[in-house]
Amino acid sequence: MIDDVPHEKQPAELISKTPGEGLRYFTLSKAQTTIGSGPDRDIVLEGLFVSRRHAVIERRDDGYWLQDSGSTNGVLINGSQLEPSAPALLRHQDRIDFAGRVVIFWIRGVGTPLFPVELLENTPPLPEPFEVDSARRVVRFRGEVLNVRMSPLEFALVLRLYEQRHRVCSKDELGEALWGAPMVNGRRMPQYDDNMLHVKVHNAKAKLAKASPGLEKIIVSVPGAGYRLDIESLSETRK
């Protein structure tokens, strides 16, 4: 019987839950299982901040060991950062966060009061993936303050997009927020042009990318409408 086999030698798998797709099971049947967003990985996890070669799980005599493959945004096990140079022995029901894509490590045949779906749905909420703090004038990504130095206008741009993150901000709205629009003869007169706004957007995205590669993609241009923040792509594990 499978329960007579030491837990470390029983078949194991990673279990994820994707909105609209239900549970997905990834069996760890190989001596080494590669994980990442690249199409050549054994387990392909889609996500804005998942590296092409994110991590690897090695099956050894004493169990399954997880190692960060030098990913850009790291790996968390039950909320603790995994150091790239220090593989970790996985335990039944471990919650693994691959830069926003969360999976449960599951050993078949191990008695437990919870099922994978309960573990995935009832885990403590993650920090807001992206925040702009106007009082402290800082930007946070996954709970950590980013080392990003923006000009006052660049910060004002990102702040406006964050405050209106559930909709598209028009160019005129952003231009007025950054440069103002005084009333002249009863009409508001914009003090900007498209090139001025484009430069500020470009600079803000470049500085976000420098602080955390890939984060620049959060600012999305909507043709004919303006700009918006694509925070939902960072929050899929919270849905």
Side-chain angles (χ1 to χ4, degrees):
M1 295 177 60
I2 195 168
D3 285 336
D4 295 329
V5 181
H7 291 171
E8 292 81 1
K9 295 185 179 180
Q10 291 182 11
E13 55 200 0
L14 300 182
I15 305 175
S16 71
K17 186 174 186 295
T18 303
E21 295 184 8
L23 295 180
R24 297 183 64 190
Y25 297 82
F26 304 99
T27 302
L28 303 175
S29 57
K30 300 175 64 176
Q32 283 194 337
T33 300
T34 57
I35 302 167
S37 61
D40 59 338
R41 301 295 88 187
D42 296 316
I43 297 177
V44 178
L45 296 177
E46 296 180 356
L48 184 60
F49 297 100
V50 179
S51 297
R52 291 179 60 85
R53 299 181 178 182
H54 205 103
V56 61
I57 293 179
E58 182 178 351
R59 187 179 62 190
R60 305 178 186 174
D61 290 340
D62 59 346
Y64 294 83
W65 290 77
L66 173 63
Q67 181 165 4
D68 188 331
S69 297
S71 65
T72 300
N73 294 299
V75 179
L76 301 178
I77 301 178
N78 301 322
S80 298
Q81 187 77 39
L82 176 65
E83 296 297 329
S85 59
L89 177 63
L90 294 174
R91 302 296 183 185
H92 181 56
Q93 296 186 355
D94 274 347
R95 183 179 188 273
I96 309 169
D97 182 346
F98 297 103
R101 288 303 306 270
V102 177
V103 301
I104 300 297
F105 175 73
W106 194 263
I107 299 177
R108 302 176 194 171
V110 177
T112 174
L114 293 176
F115 292 99
V117 66
E118 294 174 302
L119 289 168
L120 287 165
E121 292 181 346
N122 297 331
T123 48
L126 295 171
E128 286 293 333
F130 185 84
E131 296 177 283
V132 181
D133 188 331
S134 59
R136 297 185 178 182
R137 296 188 61 81
V138 297
V139 176
R140 297 187 184 91
F141 175 50
R142 301 182 70 196
E144 299 292 331
V145 174
L146 291 179
N147 182 20
V148 54
R149 297 182 179 180
M150 294 185 179
S151 71
L153 288 181
E154 292 161 1
F155 184 84
L157 168 70
V158 176
L159 176 62
R160 183 68 177 187
L161 289 171
Y162 176 73
E163 291 175 338
Q164 305 299 323
R165 55 191 177 276
H166 300 299
R167 65 178 182 85
V168 176
C169 292
S170 69
K171 292 182 179 180
D172 283 346
E173 176 185 350
L174 293 173
E176 182 175 343
L178 270 62
W179 292 283
M183 296 292 292
V184 178
N185 297 326
R187 297 180 58 187
R188 290 194 177 277
M189 301 298 294
Q191 302 297 299
Y192 84 102
D193 57 38
D194 284 355
N195 184 63
M196 292 168 61
L197 182 59
H198 173 77
V199 169
K200 295 304 176 186
V201 171
H202 174 80
N203 290 346
K205 292 179 69 171
K207 291 179 179 180
L208 289 173
K210 185 176 181 179
S212 181
L215 190 55
E216 73 280 3
K217 298 177 183 178
I218 196 173
I219 300 180
V220 177
S221 174
V222 182
Y227 296 90
R228 67 179 179 88
L229 283 190
D230 187 17
I231 288 186
E232 291 185 358
S233 64
L234 310 181
S235 309
E236 59 184 299
T237 57
R238 297 172 57 88
K239 296 180 181 178

mmCIF file with all atom_site columns, all heavy atoms in Angstrom, residues 107-119:
data_model
loop_
_atom_site.group_PDB
_atom_site.id
_atom_site.type_symbol
_atom_site.label_atom_id
_atom_site.label_alt_id
_atom_site.label_comp_id
_atom_site.label_asym_id
_atom_site.label_entity_id
_atom_site.label_seq_id
_atom_site.pdbx_PDB_ins_code
_atom_site.Cartn_x
_atom_site.Cartn_y
_atom_site.Cartn_z
_atom_site.occupancy
_atom_site.B_iso_or_equiv
_atom_site.pdbx_formal_charge
_atom_site.auth_seq_id
_atom_site.auth_comp_id
_atom_site.auth_asym_id
_atom_site.auth_atom_id
_atom_site.pdbx_PDB_model_num
ATOM 1  N N   . ILE A 1 107 ? 2.012   15.308 -1.597 1.00 0.00 ? 107 ILE A N   1
ATOM 2  C CA  . ILE A 1 107 ? 2.479   13.922 -1.636 1.00 0.00 ? 107 ILE A CA  1
ATOM 3  C C   . ILE A 1 107 ? 1.263   13.014 -1.560 1.00 0.00 ? 107 ILE A C   1
ATOM 4  O O   . ILE A 1 107 ? 0.493   13.065 -0.598 1.00 0.00 ? 107 ILE A O   1
ATOM 5  C CB  . ILE A 1 107 ? 3.446   13.616 -0.477 1.00 0.00 ? 107 ILE A CB  1
ATOM 6  C CG1 . ILE A 1 107 ? 4.685   14.508 -0.581 1.00 0.00 ? 107 ILE A CG1 1
ATOM 7  C CG2 . ILE A 1 107 ? 3.855   12.145 -0.496 1.00 0.00 ? 107 ILE A CG2 1
ATOM 8  C CD1 . ILE A 1 107 ? 5.670   14.330 0.555  1.00 0.00 ? 107 ILE A CD1 1
ATOM 9  N N   . ARG A 1 108 ? 1.080   12.210 -2.562 1.00 0.00 ? 108 ARG A N   1
ATOM 10 C CA  . ARG A 1 108 ? -0.095  11.346 -2.624 1.00 0.00 ? 108 ARG A CA  1
ATOM 11 C C   . ARG A 1 108 ? -0.083  10.320 -1.491 1.00 0.00 ? 108 ARG A C   1
ATOM 12 O O   . ARG A 1 108 ? 0.956   9.774  -1.137 1.00 0.00 ? 108 ARG A O   1
ATOM 13 C CB  . ARG A 1 108 ? -0.145  10.614 -3.963 1.00 0.00 ? 108 ARG A CB  1
ATOM 14 C CG  . ARG A 1 108 ? -0.180  11.526 -5.173 1.00 0.00 ? 108 ARG A CG  1
ATOM 15 C CD  . ARG A 1 108 ? -0.117  10.712 -6.447 1.00 0.00 ? 108 ARG A CD  1
ATOM 16 N NE  . ARG A 1 108 ? 0.180   11.549 -7.598 1.00 0.00 ? 108 ARG A NE  1
ATOM 17 C CZ  . ARG A 1 108 ? 0.463   11.063 -8.797 1.00 0.00 ? 108 ARG A CZ  1
ATOM 18 N NH1 . ARG A 1 108 ? 0.489   9.755  -8.994 1.00 0.00 ? 108 ARG A NH1 1
ATOM 19 N NH2 . ARG A 1 108 ? 0.724   11.883 -9.802 1.00 0.00 ? 108 ARG A NH2 1
ATOM 20 N N   . GLY A 1 109 ? -1.258  10.075 -0.955 1.00 0.00 ? 109 GLY A N   1
ATOM 21 C CA  . GLY A 1 109 ? -1.393  9.046  0.058  1.00 0.00 ? 109 GLY A CA  1
ATOM 22 C C   . GLY A 1 109 ? -1.132  9.506  1.470  1.00 0.00 ? 109 GLY A C   1
ATOM 23 O O   . GLY A 1 109 ? -1.235  8.722  2.409  1.00 0.00 ? 109 GLY A O   1
ATOM 24 N N   . VAL A 1 110 ? -0.796  10.781 1.646  1.00 0.00 ? 110 VAL A N   1
ATOM 25 C CA  . VAL A 1 110 ? -0.556  11.299 2.989  1.00 0.00 ? 110 VAL A CA  1
ATOM 26 C C   . VAL A 1 110 ? -1.872  11.823 3.545  1.00 0.00 ? 110 VAL A C   1
ATOM 27 O O   . VAL A 1 110 ? -2.526  12.661 2.926  1.00 0.00 ? 110 VAL A O   1
ATOM 28 C CB  . VAL A 1 110 ? 0.500   12.426 2.974  1.00 0.00 ? 110 VAL A CB  1
ATOM 29 C CG1 . VAL A 1 110 ? 0.671   13.006 4.376  1.00 0.00 ? 110 VAL A CG1 1
ATOM 30 C CG2 . VAL A 1 110 ? 1.822   11.881 2.465  1.00 0.00 ? 110 VAL A CG2 1
ATOM 31 N N   . GLY A 1 111 ? -2.273  11.320 4.696  1.00 0.00 ? 111 GLY A N   1
ATOM 32 C CA  . GLY A 1 111 ? -3.522  11.763 5.296  1.00 0.00 ? 111 GLY A CA  1
ATOM 33 C C   . GLY A 1 111 ? -3.464  13.232 5.667  1.00 0.00 ? 111 GLY A C   1
ATOM 34 O O   . GLY A 1 111 ? -2.455  13.723 6.165  1.00 0.00 ? 111 GLY A O   1
ATOM 35 N N   . THR A 1 112 ? -4.529  13.961 5.399  1.00 0.00 ? 112 THR A N   1
ATOM 36 C CA  . THR A 1 112 ? -4.579  15.392 5.710  1.00 0.00 ? 112 THR A CA  1
ATOM 37 C C   . THR A 1 112 ? -6.022  15.832 5.853  1.00 0.00 ? 112 THR A C   1
ATOM 38 O O   . THR A 1 112 ? -6.900  15.319 5.155  1.00 0.00 ? 112 THR A O   1
ATOM 39 C CB  . THR A 1 112 ? -3.906  16.220 4.597  1.00 0.00 ? 112 THR A CB  1
ATOM 40 O OG1 . THR A 1 112 ? -4.102  17.604 4.873  1.00 0.00 ? 112 THR A OG1 1
ATOM 41 C CG2 . THR A 1 112 ? -4.500  15.904 3.238  1.00 0.00 ? 112 THR A CG2 1
ATOM 42 N N   . PRO A 1 113 ? -6.296  16.764 6.747  1.00 0.00 ? 113 PRO A N   1
ATOM 43 C CA  . PRO A 1 113 ? -7.667  17.244 6.898  1.00 0.00 ? 113 PRO A CA  1
ATOM 44 C C   . PRO A 1 113 ? -8.087  18.225 5.809  1.00 0.00 ? 113 PRO A C   1
ATOM 45 O O   . PRO A 1 113 ? -9.247  18.578 5.709  1.00 0.00 ? 113 PRO A O   1
ATOM 46 C CB  . PRO A 1 113 ? -7.635  17.950 8.262  1.00 0.00 ? 113 PRO A CB  1
ATOM 47 C CG  . PRO A 1 113 ? -6.222  18.416 8.394  1.00 0.00 ? 113 PRO A CG  1
ATOM 48 C CD  . PRO A 1 113 ? -5.392  17.331 7.747  1.00 0.00 ? 113 PRO A CD  1
ATOM 49 N N   . LEU A 1 114 ? -7.136  18.676 5.003  1.00 0.00 ? 114 LEU A N   1
ATOM 50 C CA  . LEU A 1 114 ? -7.440  19.650 3.966  1.00 0.00 ? 114 LEU A CA  1
ATOM 51 C C   . LEU A 1 114 ? -7.171  19.064 2.589  1.00 0.00 ? 114 LEU A C   1
ATOM 52 O O   . LEU A 1 114 ? -6.322  18.187 2.423  1.00 0.00 ? 114 LEU A O   1
ATOM 53 C CB  . LEU A 1 114 ? -6.595  20.918 4.148  1.00 0.00 ? 114 LEU A CB  1
ATOM 54 C CG  . LEU A 1 114 ? -6.889  21.764 5.389  1.00 0.00 ? 114 LEU A CG  1
ATOM 55 C CD1 . LEU A 1 114 ? -5.900  22.916 5.465  1.00 0.00 ? 114 LEU A CD1 1
ATOM 56 C CD2 . LEU A 1 114 ? -8.312  22.290 5.369  1.00 0.00 ? 114 LEU A CD2 1
ATOM 57 N N   . PHE A 1 115 ? -7.889  19.562 1.610  1.00 0.00 ? 115 PHE A N   1
ATOM 58 C CA  . PHE A 1 115 ? -7.660  19.186 0.227  1.00 0.00 ? 115 PHE A CA  1
ATOM 59 C C   . PHE A 1 115 ? -6.923  20.328 -0.468 1.00 0.00 ? 115 PHE A C   1
ATOM 60 O O   . PHE A 1 115 ? -6.947  21.470 -0.003 1.00 0.00 ? 115 PHE A O   1
ATOM 61 C CB  . PHE A 1 115 ? -8.988  18.895 -0.471 1.00 0.00 ? 115 PHE A CB  1
ATOM 62 C CG  . PHE A 1 115 ? -9.670  17.661 0.050  1.00 0.00 ? 115 PHE A CG  1
ATOM 63 C CD1 . PHE A 1 115 ? -10.689 17.759 0.982  1.00 0.00 ? 115 PHE A CD1 1
ATOM 64 C CD2 . PHE A 1 115 ? -9.267  16.404 -0.379 1.00 0.00 ? 115 PHE A CD2 1
ATOM 65 C CE1 . PHE A 1 115 ? -11.309 16.627 1.476  1.00 0.00 ? 115 PHE A CE1 1
ATOM 66 C CE2 . PHE A 1 115 ? -9.881  15.263 0.111  1.00 0.00 ? 115 PHE A CE2 1
ATOM 67 C CZ  . PHE A 1 115 ? -10.906 15.374 1.043  1.00 0.00 ? 115 PHE A CZ  1
ATOM 68 N N   . PRO A 1 116 ? -6.259  20.063 -1.594 1.00 0.00 ? 116 PRO A N   1
ATOM 69 C CA  . PRO A 1 116 ? -5.483  21.119 -2.267 1.00 0.00 ? 116 PRO A CA  1
ATOM 70 C C   . PRO A 1 116 ? -6.275  22.381 -2.537 1.00 0.00 ? 116 PRO A C   1
ATOM 71 O O   . PRO A 1 116 ? -5.763  23.487 -2.381 1.00 0.00 ? 116 PRO A O   1
ATOM 72 C CB  . PRO A 1 116 ? -5.050  20.432 -3.568 1.00 0.00 ? 116 PRO A CB  1
ATOM 73 C CG  . PRO A 1 116 ? -5.033  18.983 -3.253 1.00 0.00 ? 116 PRO A CG  1
ATOM 74 C CD  . PRO A 1 116 ? -6.150  18.773 -2.275 1.00 0.00 ? 116 PRO A CD  1
ATOM 75 N N   . VAL A 1 117 ? -7.540  22.246 -2.968 1.00 0.00 ? 117 VAL A N   1
ATOM 76 C CA  . VAL A 1 117 ? -8.317  23.437 -3.295 1.00 0.00 ? 117 VAL A CA  1
ATOM 77 C C   . VAL A 1 117 ? -8.525  24.304 -2.060 1.00 0.00 ? 117 VAL A C   1
ATOM 78 O O   . VAL A 1 117 ? -8.523  25.534 -2.137 1.00 0.00 ? 117 VAL A O   1
ATOM 79 C CB  . VAL A 1 117 ? -9.668  23.047 -3.939 1.00 0.00 ? 117 VAL A CB  1
ATOM 80 C CG1 . VAL A 1 117 ? -10.561 22.303 -2.957 1.00 0.00 ? 117 VAL A CG1 1
ATOM 81 C CG2 . VAL A 1 117 ? -10.373 24.290 -4.475 1.00 0.00 ? 117 VAL A CG2 1
ATOM 82 N N   . GLU A 1 118 ? -8.677  23.670 -0.887 1.00 0.00 ? 118 GLU A N   1
ATOM 83 C CA  . GLU A 1 118 ? -8.847  24.447 0.341  1.00 0.00 ? 118 GLU A CA  1
ATOM 84 C C   . GLU A 1 118 ? -7.565  25.173 0.709  1.00 0.00 ? 118 GLU A C   1
ATOM 85 O O   . GLU A 1 118 ? -7.580  26.307 1.177  1.00 0.00 ? 118 GLU A O   1
ATOM 86 C CB  . GLU A 1 118 ? -9.278  23.522 1.481  1.00 0.00 ? 118 GLU A CB  1
ATOM 87 C CG  . GLU A 1 118 ? -10.665 22.916 1.285  1.00 0.00 ? 118 GLU A CG  1
ATOM 88 C CD  . GLU A 1 118 ? -10.998 21.904 2.361  1.00 0.00 ? 118 GLU A CD  1
ATOM 89 O OE1 . GLU A 1 118 ? -10.239 20.925 2.497  1.00 0.00 ? 118 GLU A OE1 1
ATOM 90 O OE2 . GLU A 1 118 ? -12.003 22.099 3.055  1.00 0.00 ? 118 GLU A OE2 1
ATOM 91 N N   . LEU A 1 119 ? -6.439  24.519 0.490  1.00 0.00 ? 119 LEU A N   1
ATOM 92 C CA  . LEU A 1 119 ? -5.160  25.158 0.774  1.00 0.00 ? 119 LEU A CA  1
ATOM 93 C C   . LEU A 1 119 ? -4.930  26.351 -0.139 1.00 0.00 ? 119 LEU A C   1
ATOM 94 O O   . LEU A 1 119 ? -4.419  27.387 0.275  1.00 0.00 ? 119 LEU A O   1
ATOM 95 C CB  . LEU A 1 119 ? -4.022  24.147 0.613  1.00 0.00 ? 119 LEU A CB  1
ATOM 96 C CG  . LEU A 1 119 ? -3.940  23.055 1.679  1.00 0.00 ? 119 LEU A CG  1
ATOM 97 C CD1 . LEU A 1 119 ? -2.977  21.970 1.237  1.00 0.00 ? 119 LEU A CD1 1
ATOM 98 C CD2 . LEU A 1 119 ? -3.502  23.640 3.011  1.00 0.00 ? 119 LEU A CD2 1
#
